[in-house]
Amino acid sequence: MKMLDKIIVCIRWICMFLLIEMVAVIFFQVVSRYCFGIAHFWAEEMAVFSMIWLVFLGSVIAESRNDHTRITFFVNLLPGGLRRYVNSFSDLLCILFLAILTVKSGDVIAIAMKNISTGVRIPMGVVYLSLPVGGILMSLYFLADIVKNFRTDKKEDKP
C-alpha cells in the first residue's frame, strides 16, 4: 500500500501542475486576444490536452479515496459479509471495464501516433495515452479496495 500512496502523491503533483498550466495558458490567451488582438493557435489545444490528462489522472485520485459516485443505499442494507462481496464484485466489474478500455485504446493510440496536432505539434497518441495510463492506475486502486474489503475485521460483519 505504501507504493500506492507514493503513486498518488506523484499524480497529485502532476494534476496540480496541469491545472496551473491550464489556467496560465487560458489567461495568457484571453489577455493576448482581448488586449492585444493576437490569438495564439496553440493555447486552446494545449488547454484541452491538459484537461483530458487531468480528467483521467483526477479519476485515479478519486478512486484512491473512494470518491467515485456510487449508489450505496441498497448495498448498505446488506449484512457486512455480503456487503463485502457485493462491493468487491462491483470493483471487479470496474476493473473489467478498465481492462477493456485499456486494451482497446492501444489500437487508437497506434493510429493516433501517426497524426500530429496542429497547434502544439505533438503526436495525438500522447493525448490518447491518458486512457490506458488512467485505466491501469485506477485498476490498481480498485484491486487495493478488494484486498482492503477482505482484510477488514470480521467483527464489522455482525450487527
Side-chain angles (χ1 to χ4, degrees):
M1 293 294 185
K2 295 202 184 252
M3 182 58 127
L4 291 178
D5 294 338
K6 290 179 183 179
I7 291 172
I8 214 65
V9 168
C10 291
I11 292 172
R12 282 185 185 143
W13 279 104
I14 292 168
C15 285
M16 282 191 296
F17 170 78
L18 287 172
L19 185 61
I20 291 168
E21 176 263 331
M22 258 179 35
V23 170
V25 166
I26 292 170
F27 180 76
F28 171 74
Q29 176 72 346
V30 168
V31 169
S32 66
R33 178 176 289 175
Y34 291 106
C35 294
F36 304 113
I38 301 168
H40 299 281
F41 58 91
W42 54 267
E44 181 181 347
E45 194 173 87
M46 187 175 200
V48 168
F49 294 168
S50 297
M51 182 65 182
I52 292 169
W53 272 94
L54 192 61
V55 165
F56 282 96
L57 293 177
S59 294
V60 176
I61 294 171
E63 174 47 36
S64 73
R65 299 188 308 187
N66 273 333
D67 284 344
H68 275 293
T69 304
R70 296 177 189 222
I71 300 172
T72 58
F73 178 76
F74 293 111
V75 175
N76 288 339
L77 294 176
L78 298 171
L82 186 57
R83 188 179 323 133
R84 274 191 198 140
Y85 287 105
V86 170
N87 285 333
S88 295
F89 180 71
S90 170
D91 289 343
L92 282 172
L93 286 177
C94 290
I95 290 171
L96 177 65
F97 171 77
L98 291 168
I100 293 169
L101 177 79
T102 300
V103 170
K104 295 294 182 181
S105 67
D107 298 334
V108 175
I109 292 168
I111 293 168
M113 280 297 188
K114 299 172 187 168
N115 300 330
I116 304 296
S117 69
T118 55
V120 186
R121 309 293 303 159
I122 62 170
M124 290 300 295
V126 172
V127 178
Y128 293 120
L129 203 57
S130 63
L131 289 165
V133 169
I136 290 168
L137 290 171
M138 274 191 279
S139 294
L140 289 174
Y141 286 96
F142 277 117
L143 197 57
D145 282 346
I146 292 171
V147 170
K148 194 185 328 174
N149 275 342
F150 290 103
R151 283 194 177 166
T152 56
D153 192 6
K154 302 283 186 201
K155 293 176 187 172
E156 294 177 9
D157 293 349
K158 297 176 184 169

